[in-house]
Amino acid sequence: MPKDHDKDVYPEPSSRTPVEDRKSLLPNPALILSKLFYYSVDLPVTTFRDVIEGIQSGKKSHYYHQKFRRVPELTQCQEGDYVCYYEAEMQWRRDYKVDQEIVKVIQERLRACQQREGPSYSQNCYKELQQFEQVSKAFQSRYGDLGAYASGRKCLMKQKERMMAEQQQA
């Protein structure tokens, strides 16, 4: 405040902090409960967790995608080798799910480009559109018309029929 201010309008603020007016000699119960919780629950749990993390710090586990070894396809299995049949079927299912995810990713890219470009997406998103058409055509040729109970054996038979039809046309 300036030195020449009107003391009646702007009184000087007090220079002393007011003393706490305590009505009771008992301590604050909220403070007691918070300290009780800290020392009985929070501190032991935190200490225990820190000890466990210290022990495990040497062997950090990283969560990555599970890697499966490639197994022979159905055409490479010996007749009557049911373990090979099963492994080939599981390999086909994994490949099917991977191909589904590839189509989804390409489709999301195309949708994002369409959203970004607006009405002129057919010109500006030509590369994404071509890529989506190529991927969806490949997916449809391999897995299309297999039905709800698709399997590696059905897919193999469809591929065989397609190859026979191409040979007849040639």
Side-chain angles (χ1 to χ4, degrees):
M1 280 192 186
K3 299 284 183 197
D4 59 342
H5 70 278
D6 189 5
K7 296 203 187 269
D8 295 331
V9 178
Y10 302 108
E12 280 288 324
S14 65
S15 59
R16 293 181 15 181
T17 307
V19 178
E20 204 177 298
D21 185 24
R22 295 187 57 121
K23 303 263 189 230
S24 171
L25 294 176
L26 294 174
N28 187 357
L31 185 63
I32 292 173
L33 287 175
S34 68
K35 294 275 187 189
L36 180 69
F37 177 77
Y38 175 75
Y39 286 112
S40 64
V41 176
D42 190 30
L43 187 66
V45 168
T46 306
T47 307
F48 180 73
R49 189 190 71 221
D50 290 342
V51 167
I52 296 298
E53 285 178 355
I55 292 170
Q56 291 180 344
S57 66
K59 31 184 179 166
K60 288 263 185 197
S61 60
H62 300 283
Y63 298 98
Y64 295 114
H65 298 290
Q66 188 174 0
K67 294 181 181 175
F68 295 97
R69 65 179 178 85
R70 294 298 292 187
V71 297
E73 295 181 3
L74 278 172
T75 57
Q76 299 167 343
C77 291
Q78 299 293 325
E79 189 174 340
D81 188 1
Y82 295 107
V83 174
C84 184
Y85 293 163
Y86 177 77
E87 287 179 344
E89 182 67 32
M90 293 301 109
Q91 180 70 52
W92 180 86
R93 289 185 185 187
R94 286 191 295 271
D95 291 344
Y96 179 62
K97 287 184 180 187
V98 167
D99 290 345
Q100 281 180 329
E101 290 301 316
I102 289 171
V103 170
K104 285 181 187 177
V105 167
I106 300 298
Q107 190 175 24
E108 286 175 10
R109 287 181 187 169
L110 178 63
R111 285 185 185 151
C113 186
Q114 286 176 341
Q115 182 71 28
R116 184 177 60 246
E117 298 299 330
S120 62
Y121 78 92
S122 58
Q123 298 170 18
N124 300 338
C125 301
Y126 184 75
K127 183 182 79 166
E128 288 87 352
L129 194 59
Q130 291 296 85
Q131 189 179 23
F132 176 70
E133 287 175 1
Q134 178 186 1
V135 167
S136 60
K137 182 180 176 185
F139 184 83
Q140 182 65 27
S141 70
R142 183 167 182 190
Y143 301 111
D145 301 327
L146 289 180
Y149 303 105
S151 67
R153 188 174 298 259
K154 280 186 179 181
C155 188
L156 182 64
M157 290 301 116
K158 180 181 175 185
Q159 182 181 4
K160 184 178 108 178
E161 289 170 5
R162 190 174 63 236
M163 287 173 53
M164 288 172 40
E166 287 176 2
Q167 284 179 354
Q168 286 178 355
Q169 287 179 356

